Amino acid sequence: MRITKNETMRNHEQKSGNLTGHCTLLAMLCIVLAFCMPVGGVNFYPPVRLGVNQGLATTYVTHVAQDNRGFIWVGSDNGLYRFDGHSFVLYTRENSELPGNTVSSLFHDVASDRLLVGTKSGLGMIDCNTGKPEKIVLGHDAQIFNVTDIVPASDGGVWVANHYRTIVHMSPDGKETVYPTKDFKGLPESVISLADDGKGHLIIAHSTEGVSVVDIASRKVRTYSHDHRNPNGIPQGIIHTIHIDSHKNIWLGSNHGLSLFIPEREIFHTFLHNPDYSGSIAGNHVYSIMEDADGLIWVGCDMGRVSVFNPTDLTAGSPENLRFRNYNVSQQSGRGIANGNIRSIFEDSFGNMWICNYGTGLEFMSHHHSPFRQLPYFGTPTEGFDNHVIWSTYADADGSILLGGTNSIGVFRDGVISDVMSFATDMSHPYSRVTTLGRGDGDLLVGLYDDGLLRLDRERRHFERVNLGRPDIGINVIFNDSLKGTFIGCSEGILRYSGGKAEFMEAPGKAMGHLSVTGIVRDRRGRFWVSTFGNGIFVFDEKFSSVMHVHPRYMNGGTVKSLYVDSEGWIWILTHGTLCVVEDSSQEKIVIRRVRHHSVKNIENLRAITEDREGNIWFSSDTGLHVWIRKSGEYRNFQADFVLPNFNDRAVTCDAAGNLIFGGGHGASMFSPGFISSEWKAGKVQIVECLNLDHSGAAGDREPVYTPGKEVGINYDSSIRIVFSVADYAQSPLIEY
């Protein structure tokens, strides 16, 4: 077994493996092509949770490692899992040679591609190339019954810690040396964690006796125990983990904070959570400490969060000035770390972070930077509704972005929420949401859900109700035409707004009845298109005197969510599950083309649509964000896990800089659409498995007909299943096979 110094810090060269796809070939082989979407920007994608729904049969995960093919190995309380990017394979004591099911430590040896598995019942090993467990035969003196830690040794071997009385050194050539704790005078028997400082010393953490520094050659021991009289002493309680960073700083994680151990001065500086200071560590129960490829230290806290800091800040002043950046806990999928019970953090060969959360499963944080920025929330919690929801967005003439929430409007400008205006006293209900915002006859209009129309004077921050005859009318859309004035689509038809007053239009009302109007646009012939909830689209002439009805069957359903006219005069139609387009609205005859689902994948409930400065069409749905690129005619899809999910109907706008802002159930997502033109390539595709199928299509227990790196011949009438993958699981939502 050989572990080099660089591999101790994890080699960041690309490895194959991880992301998988499945393809069944009947009587032929297919060529697999990977189509990719570029990403860019400055924000991290939110965590993606992998739990029971993804095939991980437990939510109590404790450790992560990666093998040479890129597969992720996950230790848990009920066994060891191998994740290939698509599915999990479970190894237990019952189906393999593993000594136990409760995994307490993992260590991958790059040279041999073997995984050492520490359990509470002994030490096991997996040949990662074959996926088969192997027995480890140790000498009688080893007595490894309950492994608490496996760490690299400075000579290229590994150290294995037993919970009590025994530490074993396994050299690169396979030689085994047992170090009983009784042979070191004054050394406590318990071993929770350890680290090799590269200077001939082992740093050993104990259950309740503090930490010891052991000189291996001379067997001298210096133990540091808690003393409440020493303000610079070791903190009380259990030391859970030890980490020596690239600057040779020694960090200890305990149930009483994070401590910096300075052995030369025999002092400990402890960092504790301060609820009154946002830059303090997230929690006081520290279970995991690791350093990423950029030299940042990640700290996993129990009953807290994940904290990140730069150890080089220690040289800029006293340790008291060290500032932590904390990742929030969120119970909403994709909006933050699931809970604060962090057991370990691991960085894979691509810089992706894997977080073991004891109680909610495994969380993945992509190394790609997200172009999507979540705008800050505003407002104060009010019983009965969620202030995090943005129902509407509007770019005002002064460059500010208005965000329509519940009972209030937030003003976003120069990167911050500059104002929040409440209209709670102007409503007929206890609370209401802003469904649309827009200018009409010079006034800023605020449309409410089942609560009428308000006029807002932004300078005075004053709301005034516009009389509609009854208070329970819902406002859906505001359309301002430079020639014909302002039209408002509402739950009872069309209103015309002028001089501070809004009146129902009789002509369209007679033609449509009292249908809820969801969209109003004007085409290049001067006709008005009016979409309705339940009865398709009505097309009127400019005087609203004649009408043409577009039946719902032409759009695969009756509920039209939104209408949009782009810079080329194309009319885009959003229904619940179908995207349609009228490419030439200048002709008298109306030709509606449906955008087929093979072009736009995984659409569920279309929401809002707009155009960027390059003429690309963006639209949101419950499954993510989608774009049609005008120059190439291709569609690209951004899955909901990697953008702000739960978009709302018609909640989209474009600011003066060309940024797009979509409103949704977790706030508003803002991004510059130019990132789609940046170059980005997929990783190399490799076949990782090829199995014969029987007539029912099942693989059964058949041996594989192909192994990586070897050629295979396939009969013309064979049915096979190919499992293929690319490196870097971060490409999972960005690649289609």
Side-chain angles (χ1 to χ4, degrees):
M1 181 175 292
R2 179 69 181 173
I3 300 98
T4 66
K5 182 178 180 181
N6 288 336
E7 287 155 358
T8 300
M9 299 303 298
R10 274 181 303 280
N11 188 338
H12 286 270
E13 294 180 359
Q14 293 191 351
K15 302 175 183 178
S16 59
N18 207 326
L19 172 65
T20 68
H22 291 265
C23 180
T24 300
L25 283 79
L26 302 178
M28 64 180 297
L29 284 176
C30 293
I31 297 176
V32 180
L33 299 177
F35 298 93
C36 316
M37 288 187 293
V39 293
V42 295
N43 305 302
F44 280 108
Y45 286 103
V48 176
R49 296 174 197 164
L50 303 170
V52 175
N53 293 337
Q54 290 75 32
L56 184 63
T58 181
T59 56
Y60 295 93
V61 296
T62 56
H63 293 83
V64 174
Q66 183 186 31
D67 65 24
N68 290 354
R69 296 167 69 187
F71 292 152
I72 296 297
W73 295 82
V74 183
S76 76
D77 276 4
N78 76 332
L80 176 69
Y81 292 84
R82 189 193 76 174
F83 181 53
D84 61 12
H86 180 271
S87 60
F88 289 88
V89 176
L90 175 61
Y91 296 78
T92 65
R93 179 174 54 191
E94 290 73 25
N95 68 7
S96 71
E97 299 288 343
L98 289 182
N101 292 339
T102 303
V103 178
S104 55
S105 187
L106 294 175
F107 183 87
H108 177 252
D109 172 37
V110 175
S112 64
D113 200 17
R114 281 177 167 80
L115 182 73
L116 288 176
V117 183
T119 75
K120 289 190 175 181
S121 302
L123 182 66
M125 186 165 63
I126 302 285
D127 184 336
C128 298
N129 188 46
T130 63
K132 296 181 179 180
E134 297 180 351
K135 286 186 177 180
I136 293 182
V137 180
L138 298 176
H140 177 72
D141 294 337
Q143 297 183 358
I144 298 295
F145 302 122
N146 184 356
V147 178
T148 55
D149 207 359
I150 309 173
V151 298
S154 58
D155 65 352
V158 294
W159 293 96
V160 181
N162 193 54
H163 193 190
Y164 282 99
R165 301 186 181 93
T166 306
I167 299 172
V168 177
H169 176 264
M170 301 170 66
S171 66
D173 59 5
K175 183 180 178 181
E176 166 194 322
T177 305
V178 180
Y179 294 91
T181 56
K182 64 181 179 61
D183 292 350
F184 295 80
K185 185 178 180 180
L187 182 64
E189 290 185 336
S190 67
V191 181
I192 299 298
S193 181
L194 69 166
D196 187 329
D197 71 354
K199 302 175 183 178
H201 303 111
L202 275 183
I203 316 296
I204 303 174
H206 309 292
S207 294
T208 57
E209 301 91 347
V211 66
S212 298
V213 179
V214 177
D215 187 307
I216 302 169
S218 68
R219 305 213 168 190
K220 291 182 179 180
V221 177
R222 176 69 168 97
T223 299
Y224 300 86
S225 300
H226 174 67
D227 182 353
H228 68 276
R229 297 168 299 181
N230 182 4
N232 294 318
I234 191 169
Q236 62 184 353
I238 301 173
I239 306 297
H240 298 293
T241 185
I242 303 172
H243 176 76
I244 302 176
D245 67 25
S246 57
H247 303 281
K248 304 303 179 182
N249 299 313
I250 301 173
W251 301 93
L252 310 178
S254 72
N255 57 0
H256 196 70
L258 174 72
S259 298
L260 172 64
F261 175 36
I262 307 175
E264 295 80 8
R265 298 170 58 191
E266 296 191 323
I267 64 172
F268 299 80
H269 187 93
T270 300
F271 302 88
L272 296 172
H273 174 64
N274 180 356
D276 298 323
Y277 176 47
S278 62
S280 71
I281 191 170
N284 291 334
H285 292 251
V286 175
Y287 274 83
S288 176
I289 309 169
M290 61 82 63
E291 183 175 1
D292 68 17
D294 296 322
L296 300 178
I297 304 296
W298 292 60
V299 182
C301 304
D302 189 58
M303 302 176 66
R305 291 169 287 178
V306 172
S307 296
V308 182
F309 67 93
N310 192 337
T312 60
D313 292 343
L314 291 169
T315 61
S318 63
E320 291 85 352
N321 296 326
L322 195 65
R323 181 177 177 84
F324 296 84
R325 184 183 70 201
N326 300 318
Y327 285 90
N328 291 329
V329 173
S330 172
Q331 297 302 319
Q332 298 169 324
S333 178
R335 303 270 49 87
I337 297 169
N339 67 38
N341 301 323
I342 311 301
R343 287 298 181 267
S344 66
I345 304 171
F346 175 78
E347 183 181 23
D348 67 21
S349 59
F350 295 95
N352 302 309
M353 307 303 294
W354 301 81
I355 300 173
C356 294
N357 221 318
Y358 197 75
T360 54
L362 183 65
E363 303 197 52
F364 170 82
M365 296 178 67
S366 170
H367 70 93
H368 289 304
H369 293 282
S370 172
F372 306 101
R373 174 190 179 190
Q374 185 173 348
L375 301 189
Y377 297 149
F378 62 90
T380 56
T382 302
E383 183 178 357
F385 66 90
D386 184 359
N387 284 86
H388 294 173
V389 179
I390 300 299
W391 301 102
S392 57
T393 62
Y394 179 70
D396 210 356
D398 64 351
S400 61
I401 302 297
L402 304 186
L403 304 175
T406 305
N407 285 18
S408 59
I409 296 173
V411 181
F412 183 79
R413 188 168 188 173
D414 298 328
V416 297
I417 294 292
S418 60
D419 192 12
V420 178
M421 296 172 286
S422 173
F423 53 83
T425 59
D426 299 281
M427 300 183 304
S428 59
H429 302 302
Y431 57 88
S432 186
R433 59 180 184 248
V434 179
T435 52
T436 187
L437 294 155
R439 289 282 178 178
D441 198 27
D443 297 331
L444 180 57
L445 303 178
V446 180
L448 305 180
Y449 177 78
D450 287 346
D451 204 5
L453 183 68
L454 303 178
R455 181 169 57 245
L456 170 61
D457 185 331
R458 285 188 59 185
E459 291 186 2
R460 297 170 52 210
R461 304 178 78 255
H462 174 70
F463 292 89
E464 181 181 353
R465 181 167 289 277
V466 178
N467 184 18
L468 302 181
R470 44 189 272 208
D472 61 344
I473 293 175
I475 306 299
N476 299 323
V477 62
I478 299 171
F479 174 68
N480 194 23
D481 184 77
S482 59
L483 299 177
K484 297 295 183 178
T486 301
F487 302 88
I488 298 173
C490 69
S491 58
E492 300 292 328
I494 301 178
L495 295 159
R496 189 158 191 170
Y497 181 84
S498 179
K501 298 180 179 181
E503 298 179 350
F504 281 98
M505 298 180 66
E506 293 185 6
K510 290 180 180 180
M512 300 186 304
H514 297 289
L515 292 173
S516 181
V517 173
T518 59
I520 306 172
V521 297
R522 199 174 185 199
D523 67 17
R524 291 194 167 181
R525 289 181 66 89
R527 297 175 297 189
F528 288 92
W529 292 57
V530 180
S531 61
T532 66
F533 186 90
N535 199 19
I537 298 173
F538 294 83
V539 183
F540 297 91
D541 64 12
E542 61 181 10
K543 297 181 180 180
F544 286 92
S545 59
S546 63
V547 62
M548 180 188 308
H549 182 215
V550 181
H551 197 274
R553 67 174 176 268
Y554 294 108
M555 296 161 290
N556 198 31
T559 302
V560 179
K561 293 288 192 74
S562 182
L563 297 174
Y564 183 79
V565 178
D566 68 20
S567 58
E568 298 294 324
W570 294 17
I571 298 178
W572 295 82
I573 304 167
L574 266 67
T575 72
H576 181 81
T578 305
L579 176 66
C580 302
V581 63
V582 178
E583 296 181 4
D584 190 355
S585 63
S586 65
Q587 301 298 317
E588 182 176 358
K589 183 180 179 180
I590 296 174
V591 178
I592 297 177
R593 178 175 64 85
R594 295 183 199 171
V595 177
R596 300 297 178 183
H597 280 269
H598 64 78
S599 299
V600 186
K601 296 183 180 297
N602 302 322
I603 281 185
E604 291 181 12
N605 197 8
L606 291 167
R607 292 293 190 173
I609 186 168
T610 192
E611 181 182 18
D612 66 25
R613 290 182 173 181
E614 299 298 320
N616 305 313
I617 303 298
W618 294 80
F619 51 100
S620 59
S621 74
D622 283 357
T623 50
L625 196 62
H626 319 271
V627 59
W628 174 70
I629 302 174
R630 190 178 294 273
K631 290 182 179 179
S632 64
E634 66 176 309
Y635 289 86
R636 293 178 180 174
N637 309 290
F638 300 83
Q639 293 179 9
D641 280 341
F642 284 78
V643 296
L644 190 67
N646 301 328
F647 293 102
N648 284 326
D649 294 343
R650 298 178 295 277
V652 63
T653 192
C654 181
D655 69 10
N659 298 307
L660 303 184
I661 301 97
F662 282 84
H666 299 296
S669 183
M670 179 178 183
F671 63 96
S672 174
F675 76 90
I676 61 171
S677 62
S678 60
E679 185 177 355
W680 191 82
K681 294 182 179 180
K684 181 180 178 182
V685 176
Q686 68 167 352
I687 296 175
V688 297
E689 184 181 69
C690 182
L691 295 176
N692 268 321
L693 302 180
D694 58 25
H695 294 296
S696 67
D701 297 326
R702 297 172 182 243
E703 288 294 318
V705 298
Y706 169 81
T707 54
K710 297 182 180 180
E711 295 183 357
V712 61
I714 301 175
N715 295 331
Y716 74 94
D717 59 348
S718 294
S719 296
I720 62 174
R721 183 182 73 194
I722 292 180
V723 181
F724 49 90
S725 68
V726 298
D728 189 1
Y729 182 59
Q731 296 184 4
S732 177
L734 309 179
I735 295 179
E736 298 169 6
Y737 292 94

